[in-house]
Amino acid sequence: MLPPSSVLPTVTCIGLIFLASLATAAKKPNILIAISDDQSFPHASAYGCKWVNTPGFDQVAHQGILFSNAYTPNAKCSPSRACILTGRNSWQLEEAANHVFFFQDKFITFFEALDKNTHYAVGVTGKGLSPVMLTPNRRPTGKRWDKHKLKHRLPAISPLDYAANFEHFLNEKPQDQPFCFWYGSTEPHRKYQYQIGLEKGGKKLADIDQVPAYWPDNETVRTDMLDYAFEVEHFDSHLLRMLELLKTRGELDNTIIIVTSDNGMPFPRGKGTQYKLSNHLPLAIMWPNGIQSPGRTVTDYVSFIDLAPTLLELAGVTDPQATGMQPIQGQSLNPIFKSNQSGRIIKDRNHVLLGQERHDVGRPHDAGYPIRSIIIEGMLYIHNFKPDRWPYCNPETGYLNCDGSPTKTEVLNLRRNGHDLSFWQRCFGKRGAEELYDLRKDPDCLHNLLNNPEYASRAKQMKDRLFNALKKQNDPRMSGKGDIFDQYRYGRSDTSNTPNKYSNFYNRFIRGEATPMPTWVNPSDYEKSPVKESSH
C-alpha cells in the first residue's frame, strides 16, 4: 500500500538527504598544510601574543583545535620537514638527520604516497622539503606552483604570491579531485629589512611584553623582534587569503588545514638548539567536517611525526606496504579530532623526543653537535654527546649554526667589549654533558637542575626513558655508531661526487684557502681572536 501523497515529499526529501550524506562521507578530505619558516611558539595572537597579529592562524584555531604542546623532533628546516613528510624521527632517516642532505629514494613521503596510491592532486608553492639534494624528477611535496609573483613587495619578502599560486593549482586540477597542497612560506626566515616592523607594520617597541632573559633588552633587540613579527604576519596574510578562497569555492568544510612552522625563530638560542624557542612550535588544525567540538585547546604532547599517519588515515591509505613508505613512528591525531574534550585527551601523550646532528658546517671536519632530549610533563632533559664542541659552531667561523642578526651582533659585542659575558655564555658558550630544566618555572632554561642533588633521580629516570625509547627506534647513537652522522657529506648528490661549495668549510677557511663565504651570517660574526672555552 502506498503512503498518502502528502507523505511522499517528506520521504523523498529524507532519502535525498541520506544519499547526500553518504556522498559527503565517501568524499575524501582535502588537505592544506601551511608552514612558515622559523616561527616559535607562542608567536601567534591565538596564544595571547600581543605583538604578533595572526588572524588566519586564529581562524583555524577558533574553528578547529589549538595545540599548546606541539614539537618538531629536529629544530632545523630540512630535517624537520623530513620528519613531517615521513612520520619518522630524524635519527631514523640516516642522512636526513642532518641539514642539507641527500634525501634517499627509500624514504617516500606521504605526498608521494597520496600521488601514487590515490586520486589526490598534490602540489606545493614556496619552500617544500629544502634545502636537500634529490634524484632527478623526484617531487617529495608534489608539482611546483610558483608562477604568480607579487606586484608590490618589500626587499626582504619573497616575490611569490603564495595565495595566487594556490588558486592557480585549484583552477588547474580536476574539480572533483581531492587535493593535498603544501604552502611553504619563506617568511619569517632571515634576512629582514631592519625597522620594517616599526615603519610598515605599525608596531611599537613597547608592544613586546617580555624579552627572553638570554638577550639584552634594548631597542635593537626589540626592533629585531618586531621585524620578525612583520614577516610572520606576511605568512599569515596569505593563509587568510587561502581560507577565503576555499570558503568561496565551497571547499572549506571538507579541507583539513594544518598551520605550523618548521622550527623556532632565527635568533640566538632559537632554532638550531633544543631550548624554549627551538623545537616548541605553533600548531592549529581545522576540519569542519571531521573535528568535533571546534574551538578547543589541547595540551597533549604532539610531534611532527604524528602528521603523516593522521593524514594517510583520513585519506584512506591504511596499507603500509601499498604506500612504499618506511615504517612510521608517529601516531594518528584522529582520536583527538573525534574527542569533544579540551586539555589532555590521551593520557599517554605526555612526552616528546627531540634530537639533532649536524646542522651547519662551522666545525672541524664538518662535525655536528649531537643532542638527544626528552620533554615529560614540562620537564626537559638534554643529553649533549659531544660537549667539547661549540654548540653553535666554532667562534672563528662565525658561529655558523646561528643566523646573522642584529640580536646576534648585540650579544657578541657585549662579550667583545667586556661589558657583559652572561648573554654570550647563555647563547654561545659550551655546555655540560647533561642539562635538566623545569619549563614551567624556568621557561628560558637558565637554571640547570643537574647541579641540584634533589633532581638527580628525576634526571636519571628521564635519561633512562629517553635512551630506552631511542634503542627501540634503532638510533645509531645508542649502539656506538653515532659518528655515522658526521661522515655523511654535506649536501652530497647521488649522481655526482662534486662536493657542496661549503663542504669542509672550517678546515679550508683556517688554512686560508679562497672559500665561498656563507651568506647566512654577517662578516662581523667571525671572531678575530681566540675565545675562552668556558661552559655552564
Side-chain angles (χ1 to χ4, degrees):
M1 181 176 179
L2 292 175
S5 59
S6 61
V7 179
L8 283 174
T10 302
V11 172
T12 304
C13 182
I14 292 173
L16 290 174
I17 292 173
F18 176 72
L19 292 174
S21 66
L22 287 178
T24 300
K27 186 178 181 181
K28 301 298 184 184
N30 303 312
I31 300 166
L32 171 62
I33 300 174
I35 180 166
S36 63
D37 196 357
D38 300 359
Q39 179 186 355
S40 292
F41 175 94
H43 299 152
S45 41
Y47 291 113
C49 183
K50 303 299 184 183
W51 49 279
V52 184
N53 184 32
T54 54
F57 181 91
D58 299 354
Q59 179 180 333
V60 175
H62 295 154
Q63 298 180 24
I65 299 175
L66 180 66
F67 291 85
S68 60
N69 283 311
Y71 289 81
T72 176
N74 192 325
K76 202 73 170 184
C77 55
S78 52
S80 176
R81 292 162 187 254
C83 292
I84 294 175
L85 291 165
T86 63
R88 292 168 67 84
N89 286 307
S90 59
W91 48 88
Q92 299 176 299
L93 292 172
E94 300 178 15
E95 294 177 60
N98 292 338
H99 184 235
V100 189
F101 54 83
F102 175 75
F103 194 47
Q104 298 184 53
D105 289 348
K106 68 179 181 179
F107 294 118
I108 294 173
T109 71
F110 74 82
F111 267 78
E112 292 170 309
L114 290 177
D115 187 30
K116 177 182 178 182
N117 296 282
T118 70
H119 190 52
Y120 273 78
V122 297
V124 55
T125 186
K127 185 173 181 177
L129 177 60
S130 174
V132 298
M133 307 299 161
L134 302 165
T135 51
N137 301 318
R138 187 176 180 191
R139 295 172 173 174
T141 49
K143 178 183 175 181
R144 299 209 60 84
W145 296 83
D146 293 335
K147 174 182 177 180
H148 297 277
K149 304 296 192 293
L150 295 171
K151 295 180 180 178
H152 306 286
R153 76 177 185 97
L154 297 163
I157 297 293
S158 168
L160 291 179
D161 189 333
Y162 305 114
N165 286 316
F166 178 50
E167 184 175 16
H168 188 191
F169 164 80
L170 293 177
N171 289 337
E172 291 295 320
K173 78 170 188 66
Q175 293 305 300
D176 61 344
Q177 187 175 20
F179 66 82
C180 182
F181 193 82
W182 179 287
Y183 157 38
S185 169
T186 55
E187 291 77 29
H189 195 287
R190 292 191 184 272
K191 298 179 177 179
Y192 304 153
Q193 183 177 340
Y194 189 64
Q195 295 185 331
I196 194 170
L198 293 170
E199 296 173 359
K200 299 289 186 180
K203 300 182 181 298
K204 303 184 297 294
L205 297 179
D207 291 342
I208 298 175
D209 53 351
Q210 185 177 8
V211 174
Y214 36 80
W215 305 332
D217 186 352
N218 60 30
E219 182 175 336
T220 299
V221 172
R222 284 176 173 256
T223 299
D224 200 16
M225 293 172 69
L226 294 180
D227 294 344
Y228 155 83
F230 181 88
E231 294 219 354
V232 171
E233 292 173 0
H234 179 79
F235 158 74
D236 191 80
S237 69
H238 284 265
L239 170 63
L240 198 60
R241 288 170 57 193
M242 292 178 184
L243 294 173
E244 185 60 33
L245 181 63
L246 290 171
K247 181 179 179 181
T248 301
R249 289 172 171 256
E251 295 280 9
L252 187 62
D253 286 351
N254 197 42
T255 301
I256 303 168
I257 300 168
I258 298 174
V259 191
T260 188
S261 187
D262 55 358
N263 50 248
M265 63 195 302
F267 284 68
R269 214 171 160 103
K271 77 171 182 178
T273 65
Q274 294 196 0
Y275 297 115
K276 174 186 176 183
L277 294 178
S278 55
N279 298 68
H280 193 185
L281 302 176
L283 175 64
I285 302 179
M286 169 183 169
W287 180 25
N289 282 356
I291 287 179
Q292 302 298 313
S293 301
R296 291 180 285 143
T297 297
V298 169
T299 60
D300 291 47
Y301 282 78
V302 171
S303 173
F304 270 5
I305 62 174
D306 298 328
L307 296 178
T310 302
L311 296 175
L312 288 171
E313 177 187 346
L314 297 176
V317 182
T318 56
D319 182 1
Q321 292 188 347
T323 67
M325 297 176 69
Q326 296 289 318
I328 287 177
Q329 188 66 44
Q331 300 295 317
S332 173
L333 300 175
N334 201 27
I336 295 177
F337 294 174
K338 292 180 178 179
S339 172
N340 59 8
Q341 298 178 347
S342 297
R344 177 65 57 80
I345 309 300
I346 300 172
K347 182 179 178 181
D348 292 341
R349 280 192 176 273
N350 66 347
H351 72 286
V352 286
L353 305 182
L354 317 176
Q356 72 178 58
E357 288 293 336
R358 181 181 66 225
H359 282 172
D360 286 307
V361 286
R363 301 184 191 88
H365 311 294
D366 289 348
Y369 192 79
I371 308 174
R372 298 293 185 272
S373 305
I374 186 169
I375 298 176
I376 306 176
E377 299 289 11
M379 295 292 295
L380 167 63
Y381 170 82
I382 298 175
H383 192 91
N384 300 308
F385 287 88
K386 303 288 185 180
D388 57 311
R389 298 177 184 173
W390 291 99
Y392 258 138
C393 295
N394 282 49
E396 58 270 34
T397 46
Y399 312 90
L400 284 183
N401 202 35
C402 180
D403 294 348
S405 68
T407 299
K408 181 180 180 181
T409 299
E410 287 288 296
V411 171
L412 295 180
N413 285 342
L414 283 172
R415 184 200 68 83
R416 291 166 179 164
N417 298 333
H419 295 315
D420 194 330
L421 180 65
S422 64
F423 295 108
W424 177 90
Q425 184 61 62
R426 292 167 181 169
C427 292
F428 299 107
K430 290 191 175 181
R431 306 164 186 168
E434 295 180 283
E435 302 172 72
L436 180 69
Y437 303 99
D438 187 338
L439 298 175
R440 298 159 297 188
K441 299 177 182 178
D442 179 26
D444 287 344
C445 299
L446 302 180
H447 306 290
N448 186 358
L449 298 175
L450 255 298
N451 302 322
N452 187 334
E454 295 181 8
Y455 287 88
S457 61
R458 174 71 66 88
K460 184 180 184 305
Q461 291 171 2
M462 294 184 71
K463 178 181 178 180
D464 289 346
R465 184 166 180 180
L466 170 65
F467 278 30
N468 288 336
L470 295 174
K471 288 174 184 176
K472 292 179 181 178
Q473 296 177 20
N474 297 316
D475 181 352
R477 285 282 166 203
M478 297 296 103
S479 58
K481 301 177 181 178
D483 289 344
I484 186 65
F485 294 110
D486 288 341
Q487 295 168 17
Y488 293 124
R489 276 195 288 174
Y490 185 74
R492 77 169 176 85
S493 170
D494 194 49
T495 58
S496 171
N497 288 322
T498 304
N500 182 280
K501 65 180 179 180
Y502 297 126
S503 294
N504 202 29
F505 173 78
Y506 176 91
N507 296 75
R508 291 187 292 151
F509 179 82
I510 295 300
R511 289 196 297 262
E513 296 180 11
T515 307
M517 299 303 287
T519 57
W520 59 90
V521 298
N522 299 325
S524 62
D525 292 351
Y526 294 75
E527 299 288 4
K528 296 181 173 58
S529 57
V531 174
K532 182 180 179 181
E533 297 190 11
S534 59
S535 63
H536 65 97

